[in-house]
Amino acid sequence: MNATAERTATQRMTPIRGRRVGGLAVLGAVLVTAAAVSLAVGARALTPAEVWHGLFAAPDPDQRLTEIRLIVRTVRVPRTVLAIVAGVALGVGGALIQGHTRNPIADTGLLGVNAGASFAVVTVTAVFGLSGPFQYLWFAFLGAALAGVVVFGLASLGRGAGHPLTLALAGQGVAVFLAAMTTAVALSDQKSLNALRFWNAGSVAGVGFDVIGPVSAFVAAGLLLAFVTLPAVNLLNLGEDVARGLGVDVALSRTLGIAAITLLAGAATAACGPIAFLGLMVAHLARSLTGPDYRWLVPYAGLLGAIVLLLCDSVGRLVVRPGELDAGVLVALAGAPFFAALVWLGKVRNT
Amino acid sequence: MSGAKALRSGPPDAATAPVLPGVRLGPVSFVWRPWQVLVTLLLAAVTFLLFCVSIGVGDFPIALPRVVATLLGRGERIDEFVITDLRLPRALAGLVVGVALGVSGAITQSVARNPLASPDILGITGGAGATAVFLVTVSGGASAAVMNTVGLSAAALAGGLGTGLLVYFLAWRRGIEGLRLILIGLSVSAVMEAVTTWLLTTADIRDVAQAQAWLIGSLDNRSWDEVRLALWGTVVLLAVVAATAFPFRPLHLGDDVAAGLGVRFAAVRAVVLLCAVLLAGVAVSAAGPVPFVALVAPQVAMRLTRCPTPPLAASAVTGALLLLGSDLVARTALPVGLPVGVVTAAIGGPFLVHLLVRANLRRDGTA
C-alpha cells in the first residue's frame, strides 16, 4: 500500500473514529452527571453545594455541615461507587457474553449466577452463621462463578448450542433447581431467610468500602481479560471456522471470555444481588451507537451500564418515598419490556 | 421457525409412521391406540394406589386396606375422622393440582408445539405468585384468615389469568409462534419475579416465611374450602376442554393448518388455551406455583404412551402421580416442613436441562 492510499484510508476512517471517541466523551460526561445526581438524591436531598462540601471540605465545627459530610462520605459515595463498578461490570459482561455466544438475548443474569450466589449465601448463613455482606461475599462469588460455568457448559453442549433459547433455558433450569434448594435451606433457618430476602432484591445500598474493594479488584481483573479478548471476539463473530482460519485460538479465547464474564458477573452479583437484563439492554443500546465492532461496543456498554444502574438507583430512591425501590427491581422493570420488544421486533433469530 | 421446530419432538415422518386404525362415532373420529389406553389406565391405577398410601401416611398411620375401606364408606369411626377431616383434603389437593397442571402443560405444549412452553416458563404461575404475595404483604399478618382462604385463591387465579392474557397478546404478531411465546413469557416472568422480590423485601418477616413457603408450592394444611374450590374449578374446566378439544384433536398443527381448517378451529384453540391458563391459575390458587409439574408431566406421559404429542388424559394422570409422589417424598424423606415444590423443582430443573441438552445433541448444526 503506498503512502497516498494509506493517507486516504486514514482520512476515511477518521470521522468514524472521531465520532466514536466523541461518543465516549459524551457518555463519560453523562456518567459524571448521573453520579452527581446519585450523590444528591435520597431521603435527605442535598444541593450541589452541599455535595461539594461533603466530598471535599475539611472537618468543620458546624454541626449541620458535619452531618452532611457524614451522609455524603459514608452513605452516598459508597453507593454511587458500587453502582458504577457493578454497572460497568454488568454492561461489559453483557456485551461480552452476546459476542461470545452470538446470541442477542444472552445476559449475565440468565447464566444462573444469581441463583448460584443466593444458594451460596443462604447455605453459608445457615451452616456457619455468617451475617455481614463482607463475610458471605466470597461465598456468593464462588456460587455465582460455579453456576455460571455449569450453565455455560450445559448450554454449549452439542451441535445445537448456537440456538438463542438454549442459554436462557439452561439458565432457567439450573436457576429453578438452585432456587428450590435455596428455599429449602431458607425455610429451615430464619436467619438465612432474612439474609436472603435483602440480598435477593438487587441493591447497591448499604455496602461499605470493605466490600467494594475486593469487588473492584475482581471487576478490574475481569475487565483486563475482557479487553485482551476483544479483537478475537470480533473474529469469533464471523463464525468459529472463519476465526480459526484467521488464526484465532478459539478454545483459548472462549476460555478467557468465559473467565472474564464469570469474574464480572460474579463480582457484581456477589456485591449487589441479582440484577438481570442490565447487560442485555446496554449491549443493544451500545450496538445501536457503535455498530458491531466489539472493541468499541464493549467500552460503550460498560459506560452505559454504569449510567443506567446509577439512574435506576437514583429513581428508586425517589419514587416510593419514604421507602426505596431496589435498583435491581427497576432495572428488571425497564429491561424486561426492552427484551420483549427485541423479541417482538424479530431481532431474535437462529444464528 | 426452525427454532420451534427443532426443539419440539415432532411427529414421526409420514413414511415411517405406522398406519393406525381409526374409529368414527358420528361426527367424532379418533385414532385407536390400545397402548395409550393401557398405559393411561395403568398410570391411573398407580395414582389411586399412591393416593391411598398418601392418606395412610402420617403421625397416625393407617394401613392401606383400612384407607380403602374408609374411602368406600365402610371404615371405623376413628379412621373416618382422621381421613375425611385431616388427610383427604391434602391428598385431594395433590390429586387435583397435579391433574390441572398436567392438562394445562399438555395444552400449552401442544399449541406452542414446544416442550418448553409450560405455564411456569410462560409466566402464568409467576404472575399468580406475584399477585398472591401482593395480597399477603399488603394485607399483612392481620388478615391472615382472609389470606388463607378465598382471597388468596382469587388473587392467584386473577393474577394467573391476567399474566397469561398479557403474554398471549404481547406475543401475538400475525399469529402465535412458539419461540416468541416462550421468550415473551420469560421476560414477563422476570418482571413478576422482580415485583415479588421487592414485595418480599418490604414485608414483615413472618409474612415472608409464609409467602416463601407458599411461593415454592405447598400442600400443607389444606382445608376443605380451598380444595372444594380447586376441585370444582378443575372439573368444570376439564369438562370444557374435553367437550371442545376432543372433536378437534390436532391442536398442535400450527397456525397455517389452523387457518386452513377455518375460524371454528381457531376459536376452539383459543377456548382450550384459555382453559389451560385457568387450570394453571386454579392449581396455583390451591397449592402455590408448584414448579415444573406442568412441564414434566406431559413429556413423561408422551414418552410412556409413545404418542407424538402430549396426550391429555395421560398427562393429567401423570401430573397427579408426580405431585402425590413428590408430596409423599417431601413428607417422609425430607426434614420437617419442607413444601412439595422443593421436590418437584429438584426433579424438574434437571429434567429441563436434560430436554435441552438432548434437543441440542439431536439437532443439526444450523439450528
Side-chain angles (χ1 to χ4, degrees):
Chain A
M1 197 187 278
N2 62 37
T4 327
E6 202 167 61
R7 198 176 307 126
T8 326
T10 320
Q11 278 166 355
R12 211 165 349 140
M13 288 304 294
T14 309
I16 299 178
R17 170 166 297 210
R19 230 174 31 224
R20 283 171 171 167
V21 173
L24 276 184
V26 170
L27 283 185
V30 175
L31 178 59
V32 171
T33 317
V37 169
S38 162
L39 288 174
V41 301
R44 164 86 165 77
L46 302 177
T47 65
E50 284 172 328
V51 172
W52 187 264
H53 168 89
L55 281 178
F56 301 110
D60 195 289
D62 183 349
Q63 190 61 39
R64 198 183 65 87
L65 289 179
T66 313
E67 186 198 329
I68 286 168
R69 197 164 164 273
L70 202 69
I71 292 176
V72 171
R73 295 212 174 170
T74 61
V75 180
R76 299 280 168 83
V77 171
R79 189 170 186 161
T80 305
V81 170
L82 182 60
I84 294 173
V85 170
V88 167
L90 291 172
V92 170
L96 213 58
I97 195 173
Q98 292 194 1
H100 270 287
T101 58
R102 300 170 72 197
N103 179 349
I105 56 163
D107 177 69
T108 50
L110 295 174
L111 273 177
V113 290
N114 306 335
S118 314
F119 181 62
V121 168
V122 296
T123 307
V124 295
T125 316
V127 175
F128 303 119
L130 306 183
S131 52
F134 186 65
Q135 290 171 310
Y136 51 65
L137 175 75
W138 303 99
F139 295 97
F141 184 74
L142 197 68
L146 273 178
V149 168
V150 167
V151 170
F152 217 96
L154 285 172
S156 49
L157 279 180
R159 282 165 302 179
H163 193 275
L165 207 53
T166 308
L167 189 67
L169 287 169
Q172 181 91 351
V174 171
V176 174
F177 177 74
L178 286 175
M181 298 302 109
T182 308
T183 309
V185 177
L187 283 179
S188 10
D189 186 85
Q190 181 87 14
K191 217 166 124 196
S192 46
L193 177 63
N194 215 8
L196 174 72
R197 66 173 183 142
F198 286 109
W199 183 82
N200 212 15
S203 169
V204 292
V207 176
F209 278 108
D210 52 343
V211 171
I212 296 175
V215 167
S216 307
F218 278 119
V219 171
L223 288 179
L224 198 69
L225 272 184
F227 284 97
V228 169
T229 62
L230 283 188
V233 175
N234 267 347
L235 296 178
L236 280 171
N237 257 283
L238 302 172
E240 285 200 2
D241 294 336
V242 177
R244 203 171 282 122
L246 289 170
V248 175
D249 185 339
V250 173
L252 180 69
S253 326
R254 277 279 136 85
T255 313
L256 287 181
I258 294 168
I261 293 165
T262 312
L263 279 172
L264 293 168
T269 307
C272 313
I275 297 181
F277 290 111
L278 181 65
L280 176 108
M281 193 165 38
V282 297
H284 281 274
L285 289 176
R287 189 172 291 115
S288 70
L289 292 174
T290 65
D293 185 347
Y294 276 85
R295 288 171 304 171
W296 289 98
L297 197 160
V298 166
Y300 268 67
L303 284 178
L304 282 168
I307 293 169
V308 171
L309 193 53
L310 275 175
L311 288 180
C312 281
D313 184 42
S314 304
V315 170
R317 278 182 255 169
L318 294 177
V319 284
V320 288
R321 303 182 69 132
E324 283 186 8
L325 202 53
D326 296 295
V329 173
L330 269 173
V331 170
L333 290 182
F338 188 91
F339 174 90
L342 285 180
V343 172
W344 203 83
L345 293 171
K347 297 277 185 203
V348 182
R349 289 189 204 91
N350 300 316
T351 44
Chain B
M1 271 170 69
S2 67
K5 207 189 296 164
L7 280 169
R8 106 188 113 114
S9 322
D13 295 337
T16 57
V19 179
L20 295 167
V23 174
R24 180 167 283 280
L25 296 170
V28 179
S29 69
F30 55 93
V31 178
W32 174 243
R33 287 193 178 91
W35 176 255
Q36 181 184 345
V37 175
L38 184 69
V39 169
T40 309
L41 288 177
L42 263 177
L43 283 172
V46 176
T47 308
F48 181 71
L49 191 69
L50 203 59
F51 180 71
C52 295
V53 170
S54 166
I55 290 176
V57 170
D59 289 338
F60 177 74
I62 304 173
L64 204 54
R66 278 163 61 194
V67 173
V68 179
T70 312
L71 286 180
L72 295 174
R74 289 199 300 263
E76 294 166 35
R77 284 283 298 277
I78 176 80
D79 289 356
E80 210 159 86
F81 167 73
V82 171
I83 289 176
T84 43
D85 288 2
L86 303 178
R87 306 267 175 85
L88 200 53
R90 182 188 189 123
L92 262 183
L95 191 72
V96 165
V97 168
V99 166
L101 287 176
V103 173
S104 178
I107 293 172
T108 46
Q109 290 179 2
S110 291
V111 171
R113 298 197 290 168
N114 195 314
L116 303 166
S118 73
D120 320 77
I121 294 195
L122 295 182
I124 296 165
T125 46
T131 340
V133 171
F134 177 73
L135 195 73
V136 173
T137 53
V138 168
S139 65
S143 51
V146 179
M147 195 196 85
N148 277 330
T149 53
V150 188
L152 191 64
S153 301
L157 191 58
L161 182 62
T163 318
L165 290 176
L166 181 70
V167 169
Y168 192 81
F169 285 121
L170 284 178
W172 179 272
R173 191 185 179 193
R174 289 185 300 257
I176 284 292
E177 189 228 300
L179 177 65
R180 195 166 55 231
L181 190 67
I182 292 170
L183 290 174
I184 296 277
L186 277 177
S187 75
V188 172
S189 270
V191 173
M192 295 302 163
E193 246 166 65
V195 172
T196 307
T197 312
W198 175 59
L199 288 171
L200 287 182
T201 57
T202 53
D204 186 85
I205 184 78
R206 279 158 304 187
D207 293 339
V208 172
Q210 199 169 3
Q212 195 90 38
W214 191 85
L215 267 176
I216 186 81
S218 164
L219 292 173
D220 292 338
N221 305 322
R222 294 303 107 169
S223 71
W224 270 109
D225 286 340
E226 293 160 278
V227 175
R228 206 169 282 126
L229 203 70
L231 186 63
W232 286 115
T234 307
V235 167
V236 169
L237 287 166
L238 283 184
V240 175
V241 168
T244 46
F246 197 59
F248 292 91
R249 286 287 296 142
L251 283 171
H252 55 275
L253 284 181
D255 278 347
D256 296 341
V257 179
L261 288 172
V263 177
R264 192 148 169 238
F265 178 85
V268 163
R269 206 174 56 171
V271 169
V272 174
L273 207 53
L274 186 69
C275 286
V277 172
L278 284 171
L279 278 170
V282 166
V284 175
S285 74
V290 187
F292 282 122
V293 173
L295 174 86
V296 174
Q299 292 299 312
V300 171
M302 205 170 92
R303 284 167 178 74
L304 289 178
T305 58
R306 301 183 197 155
C307 279
T309 56
L312 291 181
S315 302
V317 185
T318 313
L321 193 61
L322 264 175
L323 200 59
L324 286 171
S326 301
D327 188 42
L328 204 59
V329 170
R331 276 194 291 162
T332 54
L334 297 184
V336 190
L338 285 186
V340 61
V342 170
V343 180
T344 61
I347 304 169
F351 189 81
L352 174 61
V353 171
H354 155 79
L355 275 185
L356 206 67
V357 170
R358 225 187 40 144
N360 265 356
L361 294 176
R362 215 191 312 111
R363 221 181 303 158
D364 54 39
T366 55

